Amino acid sequence: MKVRSVKLREAHKAPTNGRPSFCSVVWDQQAHHLVTASSSDPTISIHDPLLPSAPPKLLRHHRDGVTALALSPNSTCLASGSIDHSVKLYKFPSGEFETNITRFTLPIRVLAFNKSGTLLAAAGDDEGIKLINTVDGSIARVLKGHKGPITGLGFDPNSEYLASIDSNGTLMYWELQSGSTLHTLKGIGPDLGLDLSVMNVLSWSPDGETLAVPGLRNDVVMYDRDTAEKLFSLRGDHTQPICFLAWSPNGKYMATAGLDKQVLIWDVDKKQDIDRQKFDERICCLAWKPTGNALAVIDVMGKYGVWESVVPSSMKSPTEDIPNLHTKNSNGLLFFEEEDQEPSVSGSLSDLGEDSLGESEPPSRKRLRKQSAYENDFEEDGFEELSLPLKVESRKKPHHMHKASKEDANEVQRSKGTSSRLKMQEAFQPGATPMQLGKRRFLCYNMLGSITTMEHDGYSHIEIDFHDTSRGPRVPSMNDHFGFTMASLNEKGSVFANPCKGEKNMSTLMYRPFSSWANNSEWSMRFEGEEVKVVALGTSWVAAVTSLNFLRIFTEGGLQKHVLSLDGPVVTASGFEDELAVVTHAAECLPSNEQMLEFRVFNIYNGTQPLRGRLPLTPGSHLTWFGFSDEGQLSSYDSKGVLRVFTSQFGGSWLPLFSASKEKKSDENYWVVGLNASKLFCILCKNPELFPQVMPKPVLTLLNLSLPLASSDLGADALENEFILNGMHLSQIQKQVEEISGAGLDTTSLDDEAFNVEAAQDKCILRLIASCCNGDKLVRATELVKLLSLEKSVRGAIKLVTVLKLPNLAERFNSILEERLLSESKGTLQTILPSSSRYALTKDVAFTKSSASTERSSDLETNGLLSSPILSAPLFTKKAKPQGAKVEVENQTAKLDDTGKGKKIEEVKNAAKVNNTGELKKVGELNPVQPTRSFNPFSKSLNNQEKKAEVDQVQPNRPSNPFLKSSVK
């Protein structure tokens, strides 16, 4: 057993008589506050968990000890019950007293809000349970049936049932719509007698399918939601009865406190305890932190504390994969009217939409839906044949069964369709953070800079900052009276938009350039009955996607240039130079809750759509970031932490280049900002935060791109990752060379970049060959040597296997080298001596490698291939620039050699000389022009003296490009 100490500090004075008291502790929704109370203290304390030593805020409105606390689901209302028989409501977190909502004739023991905050259930030593409408304080219904003090209450998360338990151990299920009792289970919990510091409690699982109740054998018993049948129990090292229990937010774990002063943490699926803590006094209340791996505890002496890292870091966090019941959320405390049986068109919570059961699935269907979950625990033969445990008095009305049998198929299909629509991802702006009251937030955060805003006195204050002040001007802040919620930023300007607001339901789009030759160059557009969802910027264009699925393109000056209809609701969009990428929903979600997204790339300048296809996501995830890399590659990042980059390989594919699950710690989240060819730029956020705060200023973290490769039998995962990334980079450069060359532009800088990447790739392949030889993977080594681009590298591989005493492999490598040189020699003859009398001459000449010579061997040793990390030789053709007289080119492209790669032209040596008639002389007549040594195309450059001598020798005897016909007549 781990010995860890949880420090407790006093929240309430211990009773003067030394007798234990029942104390309560609850978290608010965001875990910003911790509320405690004691049955021996009339004061309620609101603590700041970040500043535990700071004095708490005290609420002094009760005249006697506080026995019950409850917070509304949105944490805007606090309810308290007391021995003074009253139930009070407060505004939260201010603590302002609101009202005495009801009174009892005896002390209150327990309070509970329903899922939407529309009902407050209160009970205690009185006979009945009051269901209170918190809007007007009226009593919606009183449920009577218990024979002793009621100590535990719980609304099921679907707001269909209420469960209650009393001090005698009797559990009752109530149907909220009719107020009738569905099941009564007598004597299933401990009989506590008159000890008011111990209470029988109960708790629904977060998915609403299971009810947990303390059992008679120092265990926890799980009951089925609809049939009240016993499913299984958690029994471990508690030596006395359990007095409190609480589910983790995701329902995977449970915390239990016993009379033996122990707190145990359970893995519910495995039915075993995973950790425990022994305390000096009995813990009477527990509360899981809603946003993190922590548990708040309070003992019977009024001391509370927070147990951090409750669940081991190797296991799933208690706040990960929280069940989403897709119920409507309420921003306030609204209630249905008791007699209203029809949901309103608007879906207001003031109607029966959630709390009424008129349109809900009958229990029998829900039972059928759960068969797979419990098929390993017990056998089910249909709802009618389910046997209930002893002491169950079922008074469930038979009309549910008839309704299920008549409407089952249609209802399930309708329910599935509704659920899918609710699960479709909402539109979001890349680089924006959610609104937080009283805090500054990001409207945009990208690789260039950030745009922040904070609401103040009815308007917002917007500031624009650049990470590198030399890349952008100093932009003055501005006052925003439109309430902008999204923005985009580039070097030229910024664009802002807001949702529909005002009497006319108008949405506004505004563009603000950073500099212009004209005054008053900013402009705005208004959309009536149409809401801007996402904005994007590019080179001289502004884009907005609206709620009508319109893609609107504007020029930099505000001209409305294009209006396109998209195929589905927008998810997000991003711009880079002339390209705009838009993500939309392609269809409703799959039953497995997978988003069906589609991406389209528009070239605004050309008016074309070069790319379109499905956007892959990790199963069960949603899109969290979308944009372009610094090099212009389309990229996406999902909620499971997988980064994908679009590449032209295989006709256009998405490559997973990063997986957060292999990088991050359990208490970290990555908020993506951007990426380049080798690094991912992100901001680290500590759990449970998913996005950064503006203050303090976030710090960018650089992470290496790494494919999620399988564990190699060579143990060379890093080298294999480098090999794939280099190949992808070379493919990208090749595509850029083709595009730029096709446009007739110079590609010298790209050629140089390609040479460097190719040299790094050969170095990586040589290391992989060494690993294969050491691991006796000789076939794989042979495959790798065929991928080497440079002759020098192949010879280095031959030396390597010779040193490793692998003669057979060295012989194979020699054969591969000879075949390559022979193939390249044929390519040389076809280029210099074509069969046709009319020569195909081109502007960009692909020069081939010369045959092997003894000089290459000396170069290999001189350059130190095996010892030096720098390998150099060209992959792509370096273009020879024409000089002097203007020449005419008959053909636009030259044929590549057999390997499909062009070769860089360093010096034109073995060439034909052009005479005055424009005819070519034979190669044998060119002896005066031959250099003193054969040219080695595998060497990146000659030394300065050799280069100078060759230039002096060749320059007087030929024009700058002897392969081109002279245009001089």
Side-chain angles (χ1 to χ4, degrees):
M1 183 179 76
K2 296 181 181 179
V3 179
R4 290 191 292 173
S5 175
V6 178
K7 182 180 179 181
L8 302 183
R9 61 179 65 244
E10 184 178 272
H12 302 276
K13 294 288 185 182
T16 55
N17 57 12
R19 296 179 61 183
S21 302
F22 182 81
C23 301
S24 308
V25 61
V26 293
W27 289 96
D28 68 349
Q29 187 181 31
Q30 299 297 328
H32 294 160
H33 302 90
L34 198 60
V35 188
T36 61
S38 170
S39 61
S40 61
D41 185 357
T43 302
I44 300 171
S45 299
I46 302 177
H47 307 267
D48 185 345
L50 297 179
L51 300 171
S53 60
K57 182 184 295 183
L58 302 179
L59 308 183
R60 307 176 184 273
H61 297 278
H62 284 288
R63 294 177 297 168
D64 210 334
V66 178
T67 52
L69 291 176
L71 263 173
S72 63
N74 59 10
S75 297
T76 59
C77 179
L78 174 67
S80 64
S82 170
I83 298 175
D84 64 11
H85 311 169
S86 68
V87 177
K88 302 181 186 293
L89 294 185
Y90 310 84
K91 291 181 179 179
F92 194 84
S94 66
E96 179 183 349
F97 176 72
E98 192 71 18
T99 183
N100 285 311
I101 197 164
T102 192
R103 291 188 66 84
F104 284 71
T105 58
L106 292 173
I108 289 92
R109 299 296 174 191
V110 62
L111 300 171
F113 280 102
N114 68 345
K115 181 69 175 178
S116 63
T118 60
L119 279 178
L120 174 66
D125 295 350
D126 274 21
E127 182 181 357
I129 303 168
K130 291 184 179 181
L131 302 184
I132 307 165
N133 185 325
T134 53
V135 171
D136 54 12
S138 61
I139 306 298
R141 186 170 280 123
V142 177
L143 307 177
K144 296 185 177 182
H146 281 285
K147 304 300 182 182
I150 300 165
T151 57
L153 290 174
F155 288 94
D156 86 279
N158 295 320
S159 296
E160 187 176 358
Y161 305 140
L162 173 72
S164 60
I165 191 170
D166 58 30
S167 59
N168 299 324
T170 299
L171 173 68
M172 299 184 72
Y173 278 47
W174 307 86
E175 187 182 50
L176 291 176
Q177 183 187 17
S178 63
S180 61
T181 305
L182 295 179
H183 306 291
T184 301
L185 283 68
K186 295 182 178 179
I188 64 163
D191 189 340
L192 302 177
L194 300 178
D195 186 355
L196 301 180
S197 68
V198 183
M199 296 203 296
N200 275 328
V201 294
L202 51 79
S203 182
W204 289 96
S205 61
D207 62 5
E209 298 296 334
T210 309
L211 180 67
V213 180
L216 299 173
R217 300 181 178 180
N218 308 332
D219 58 353
V220 179
V221 182
M222 305 294 181
Y223 294 92
D224 180 75
R225 156 190 171 77
D226 300 305
T227 65
E229 179 181 2
K230 180 178 177 179
L231 301 176
F232 60 91
S233 63
L234 303 178
R235 189 174 182 184
D237 291 338
H238 278 299
T239 58
Q240 296 186 49
I242 292 172
C243 58
F244 204 89
L245 54 85
W247 291 88
S248 66
N250 62 1
K252 182 171 177 59
Y253 308 104
M254 175 173 284
T256 58
L259 298 181
D260 55 6
K261 302 180 182 180
Q262 285 192 106
V263 173
L264 268 60
I265 309 299
W266 302 81
D267 186 321
V268 178
D269 293 336
K270 297 180 179 179
K271 303 180 182 62
Q272 66 182 22
D273 59 303
I274 57 176
D275 205 350
R276 70 193 71 178
Q277 177 73 54
K278 183 79 172 182
F279 291 87
D280 295 333
E281 298 289 345
R282 172 164 47 89
I283 300 297
C284 55
C285 191
L286 307 165
W288 288 87
K289 191 175 182 180
T291 56
N293 184 10
L295 182 74
V297 301
I298 191 167
D299 65 19
V300 292
M301 293 292 118
K303 292 182 178 181
Y304 83 104
V306 177
W307 182 357
E308 299 286 352
S309 301
V310 181
V311 176
S313 58
S314 59
M315 303 180 69
K316 180 182 289 188
S317 168
T319 56
E320 183 180 350
D321 297 333
I322 296 177
N324 186 358
L325 298 177
H326 305 295
T327 56
K328 306 167 195 171
N329 292 323
S330 171
N331 292 325
L333 295 172
L334 302 177
F335 281 81
F336 65 86
E337 295 176 5
E338 187 176 354
E339 300 300 323
D340 188 3
Q341 299 295 324
E342 295 293 334
S344 66
V345 176
S346 64
S348 169
L349 286 178
S350 60
D351 299 314
L352 271 173
E354 180 181 14
D355 295 304
S356 169
L357 306 185
E359 298 298 323
S360 300
E361 279 188 340
S364 59
R365 282 199 296 278
K366 298 181 181 182
R367 186 60 180 171
L368 293 174
R369 189 181 66 219
K370 291 171 49 185
Q371 286 181 355
S372 60
Y374 297 111
E375 62 185 358
N376 295 328
D377 295 321
F378 55 89
E379 182 178 355
E380 295 178 335
D381 296 319
F383 184 81
E384 292 84 355
E385 300 178 11
L386 287 171
S387 60
L388 301 183
L390 297 176
K391 299 187 179 180
V392 173
E393 300 174 6
S394 179
R395 290 194 272 164
K396 192 165 185 176
K397 298 184 179 179
H399 73 270
H400 287 292
M401 294 300 304
H402 300 306
K403 186 175 181 180
S405 61
K406 292 178 181 180
E407 301 177 2
D408 188 44
N410 293 335
E411 186 73 18
V412 169
Q413 292 297 326
R414 185 164 61 249
S415 173
K416 286 183 178 178
T418 303
S419 177
S420 295
R421 285 193 295 272
L422 288 174
K423 289 183 284 189
M424 290 175 68
Q425 182 176 356
E426 295 291 331
F428 72 93
Q429 183 71 34
T433 58
M435 182 181 298
Q436 295 177 287
L437 293 177
K439 291 186 178 181
R440 183 171 290 276
R441 74 181 185 99
F442 290 109
L443 293 180
C444 173
Y445 194 108
N446 59 22
M447 298 287 283
L448 181 65
S450 65
I451 302 177
T452 60
T453 183
M454 184 172 70
E455 187 175 352
H456 178 71
D457 291 339
Y459 66 93
S460 297
H461 185 73
I462 292 179
E463 293 181 355
I464 300 176
D465 296 297
F466 292 92
H467 304 316
D468 183 356
T469 54
S470 64
R471 291 186 62 184
R474 188 175 184 276
V475 182
S477 61
M478 73 174 190
N479 291 329
D480 164 29
H481 296 277
F482 294 99
F484 293 129
T485 59
M486 66 197 82
S488 186
L489 172 71
N490 67 7
E491 292 86 349
K492 291 188 173 182
S494 54
V495 62
F496 303 87
N498 67 345
C500 291
K501 62 186 299 185
E503 296 179 357
K504 295 185 178 180
N505 203 28
M506 304 281 280
S507 183
T508 303
L509 176 75
M510 186 181 83
Y511 176 71
R512 188 185 186 194
F514 295 143
S515 61
S516 176
W517 59 269
N519 294 327
N520 194 24
S521 55
E522 73 175 43
W523 51 265
S524 62
M525 299 285 170
R526 305 292 294 273
F527 307 98
E528 186 172 353
E530 181 181 0
E531 186 172 73
V532 177
K533 292 293 187 180
V534 182
V535 294
L537 279 177
T539 303
S540 303
W541 56 265
V542 178
V545 189
T546 70
S547 56
L548 298 182
N549 298 343
F550 287 163
L551 170 59
R552 298 180 176 271
I553 308 295
F554 305 85
T555 65
E556 199 174 22
L559 177 65
Q560 302 190 54
K561 196 171 183 180
H562 304 288
V563 181
L564 307 177
S565 278
L566 300 177
D567 295 342
V570 67
V571 178
T572 191
S574 183
F576 178 80
E577 296 181 353
D578 292 332
E579 292 188 333
L580 168 66
V582 180
V583 178
T584 59
H585 286 283
E588 293 182 351
C589 298
L590 296 177
S592 58
N593 195 21
E594 293 183 41
Q595 303 288 327
M596 301 296 291
L597 304 183
E598 180 182 59
F599 75 96
R600 299 166 72 175
V601 177
F602 302 91
N603 189 300
I604 305 301
Y605 180 78
N606 297 329
T608 59
Q609 182 179 299
L611 292 175
R612 179 172 183 173
R614 287 292 176 90
L615 182 69
L617 293 174
T618 306
S621 70
H622 59 273
L623 188 64
T624 58
W625 180 85
F626 185 76
F628 292 87
S629 70
D630 284 353
E631 294 77 22
Q633 283 192 286
L634 197 59
S635 311
S636 70
Y637 188 81
D638 63 34
S639 59
K640 296 290 186 181
V642 177
L643 173 76
R644 294 175 176 86
V645 174
F646 187 82
T647 174
S648 58
Q649 294 177 348
F650 299 100
S653 303
W654 289 88
L655 300 185
L657 294 188
F658 178 83
S659 178
S661 61
K662 293 189 175 182
E663 293 283 339
K664 72 177 183 178
K665 301 177 182 177
S666 60
D667 61 341
E668 291 178 347
N669 292 312
Y670 296 144
W671 193 75
V672 173
V673 176
L675 69 152
N676 60 18
S678 60
K679 301 287 185 181
L680 175 66
F681 293 77
C682 63
I683 297 173
L684 290 183
C685 302
K686 293 293 184 181
N687 270 338
E689 298 294 338
L690 300 176
F691 53 86
Q693 301 295 329
V694 176
M695 295 300 293
K697 190 174 182 178
V699 177
L700 280 179
T701 299
L702 277 66
L703 302 172
N704 292 321
L705 297 182
S706 176
L707 287 92
L709 299 177
S711 297
S712 173
D713 53 3
L714 294 176
D717 296 357
L719 286 174
E720 291 179 331
N721 180 75
E722 182 184 351
F723 168 73
I724 298 177
L725 289 178
N726 285 338
M728 188 189 75
H729 195 187
L730 285 171
S731 174
Q732 181 188 1
I733 296 174
Q734 185 176 14
K735 181 182 177 184
Q736 291 176 340
V737 168
E738 292 172 355
E739 293 175 352
I740 295 176
S741 178
L745 302 176
D746 180 41
T747 61
T748 304
S749 61
L750 283 175
D751 291 339
D752 291 338
E753 184 180 358
F755 305 150
N756 295 332
V757 176
E758 186 190 29
Q761 180 72 321
D762 274 17
K763 175 184 173 183
C764 176
I765 292 175
L766 285 173
R767 289 179 175 175
L768 279 172
I769 291 173
S771 296
C772 291
C773 293
N774 292 330
D776 200 25
K777 305 296 181 183
L778 304 187
V779 175
R780 197 177 308 175
T782 307
E783 294 172 341
L784 284 166
V785 80
K786 294 178 181 179
L787 300 177
L788 290 169
S789 301
L790 316 179
E791 181 192 1
K792 183 190 298 184
S793 300
V794 179
R795 294 187 183 280
I798 295 172
K799 274 197 170 185
L800 174 65
V801 297
T802 303
V803 170
L804 295 176
K805 299 181 179 180
L806 297 170
N808 292 336
L809 196 59
E811 184 178 347
R812 283 186 174 273
F813 285 9
N814 267 313
S815 300
I816 292 170
L817 177 60
E818 291 172 2
E819 290 176 6
R820 176 178 294 187
L821 292 176
L822 180 61
S823 176
E824 290 168 352
S825 298
K826 290 180 181 179
T828 302
L829 291 175
Q830 291 176 1
T831 303
I832 297 181
L833 299 174
S835 60
S836 173
S837 60
R838 184 176 181 85
Y839 296 96
L841 302 175
T842 65
K843 181 179 179 181
D844 297 335
V845 181
F847 199 90
T848 60
K849 301 174 184 176
S850 64
S851 61
S853 66
T854 57
E855 193 169 341
R856 287 195 190 91
S857 299
S858 62
D859 287 346
L860 183 67
E861 296 174 0
T862 302
N863 293 333
L865 174 66
L866 296 179
S867 60
S868 172
I870 300 176
L871 304 176
S872 58
L875 170 67
F876 296 104
T877 311
K878 194 158 188 175
K879 311 303 186 285
K881 299 180 182 178
Q883 300 176 358
K886 182 178 180 181
V887 297
E888 295 179 359
V889 181
E890 293 182 11
N891 298 325
Q892 294 180 351
T893 58
K895 294 181 179 179
L896 297 173
D897 60 13
D898 292 343
T899 63
K901 298 180 180 179
K903 305 298 182 292
K904 177 182 177 186
I905 298 179
E906 294 280 352
E907 301 287 338
V908 180
K909 301 172 184 175
N910 299 323
K913 187 164 64 177
V914 182
N915 60 18
N916 291 335
T917 63
E919 296 179 354
L920 294 174
K921 291 187 177 182
K922 294 181 180 178
V923 176
E925 299 174 1
L926 302 181
N927 291 335
V929 190
Q930 294 290 345
T932 58
R933 53 172 284 191
S934 61
F935 171 58
N936 183 3
F938 294 95
S939 179
K940 186 170 185 179
S941 62
L942 300 170
N943 61 51
N944 293 335
Q945 294 180 354
E946 290 175 333
K947 182 185 291 186
K948 187 174 187 298
E950 291 174 4
V951 171
D952 292 342
Q953 182 182 1
V954 176
Q955 189 71 21
N957 296 312
R958 59 176 176 79
S960 60
N961 193 341
F963 285 91
L964 298 178
K965 288 184 178 180
S966 175
S967 60
V968 180
K969 295 183 180 178

